[in-house]
Amino acid sequence: GDKVKQSPSALSLQEGTNSALRCNFSIAATTVQWFLQNPRGSLMNLFYLVPGTKENGRLKSAFDSKESYSTLHIRDAQLEDSGTYFCAAEAGNSGGSNYKLTFGKGTLLTVTP
Amino acid sequence: NSKVIQTPRYLVKGQGQKAKMRCIPEKGHPVVFWYQQNKNNEFKFLINFQNQEVLQQIDMTEKRFSAECPSNSPCSLEIQSSEAGDSALYLCASSRGHQDTQYFGPGTRLLVL
């Protein structure tokens, strides 16, 4: 099965509304990154998280390593928030993860007027 | 956001041809990664380096792919004999090290005809 399960796979929001994206991990995630990919393919960093919470403007993200999940909350959605959101986890283990990220399959967010 | 440079942005090759792409990591980032993103948004880790040394690579990379990160030169990823299934977005990322943010370049979109 998927090591990083992202939900929902697609989401449509009206401008000004709020929503949350989620990632569940079946690997021992030690850190999580959230990205927004634009249609050209560029991955923009949103958050880097160790267990805990971060906030940046209208975005807020949390990572709970014990319960193996992470969330990304979008408040007051704007048209420019549209794109594909990915979470990715670095897993720690006794042999070392060699730093690689394991990605979810993304949430395609469409914000409409 | 990211200062990772990737060239070319687009690459079109025939089956059996070599395909080479380059990456300049952010200054001061000794760790470099290559990932492949297919049209189903599945990311596959290919290889990573710390300075010039390979940290980890997957089987596929060992067989048809070659990569290097020479000092004072761009890193490169080369597919020796392209196959249709290699058509994908190839993303390079760099990082200061273990458990630190990975910053991605804009990617090289490879199409194998």
Side-chain angles (χ1 to χ4, degrees), chain A:
Chain A
D2 292 350
K3 294 177 181 176
V4 178
K5 213 158 205 171
Q6 208 168 332
S7 61
S9 56
L11 181 61
S12 183
L13 288 180
Q14 211 159 16
E15 245 184 326
T17 60
N18 308 330
S19 192
L21 314 180
R22 186 177 174 107
C23 284
N24 289 313
F25 308 112
S26 59
I27 52 176
T30 53
T31 66
V32 173
Q33 284 190 241
W34 283 91
F35 301 92
L36 171 57
Q37 189 171 43
N38 66 23
R40 293 189 70 199
S42 292
L43 277 170
M44 183 169 70
N45 290 71
L46 299 177
F47 290 102
Y48 173 85
L49 294 156
V50 293
T53 304
K54 279 190 180 175
E55 195 162 355
N56 184 6
R58 296 179 293 102
L59 299 180
K60 184 175 177 179
S61 187
F63 169 38
D64 185 331
S65 57
K66 287 184 182 149
E67 298 298 322
S68 299
Y69 75 91
S70 179
T71 55
L72 177 68
H73 292 261
I74 303 172
R75 177 174 53 81
D76 184 24
Q78 301 297 306
L79 297 176
E80 60 265 27
D81 295 334
S82 295
T84 306
Y85 289 78
F86 290 95
C87 67
E90 183 179 354
N93 54 54
S94 58
S97 73
N98 283 327
Y99 320 156
K100 71 180 181 195
L101 292 175
T102 302
F103 283 80
K105 289 187 183 172
T107 295
L108 176 60
L109 175 65
T110 307
V111 181
T112 56

Side-chain angles (χ1 to χ4, degrees), chain B residues 23-43:
Chain B
C23 170
I24 300 175
E26 282 206 28
K27 199 173 178 181
H29 286 191
V31 185
V32 174
F33 306 79
W34 287 97
Y35 296 90
Q36 178 198 65
Q37 183 186 13
N38 68 19
K39 62 180 182 188
N40 296 320
N41 276 343
E42 292 162 337
F43 285 76

Side-chain angles (χ1 to χ4, degrees), chain B residues 37-86:
Chain B
Q37 183 186 13
N38 68 19
K39 62 180 182 188
N40 296 320
N41 276 343
E42 292 162 337
F43 285 76
K44 183 184 285 183
F45 164 81
L46 296 177
I47 190 168
N48 61 350
F49 293 84
Q50 180 151 1
N51 298 311
Q52 291 78 55
E53 301 297 318
V54 174
L55 288 176
Q56 189 177 13
Q57 60 184 334
I58 62 168
D59 281 350
M60 177 176 84
T61 316
E62 287 171 12
K63 288 171 185 160
R64 289 191 304 111
F65 290 54
S66 62
E68 59 176 3
C69 269
S71 61
N72 302 316
S73 289
C75 297
S76 64
L77 177 70
E78 185 171 32
I79 306 173
Q80 300 305 314
S81 177
S82 301
E83 298 174 356
D86 296 330

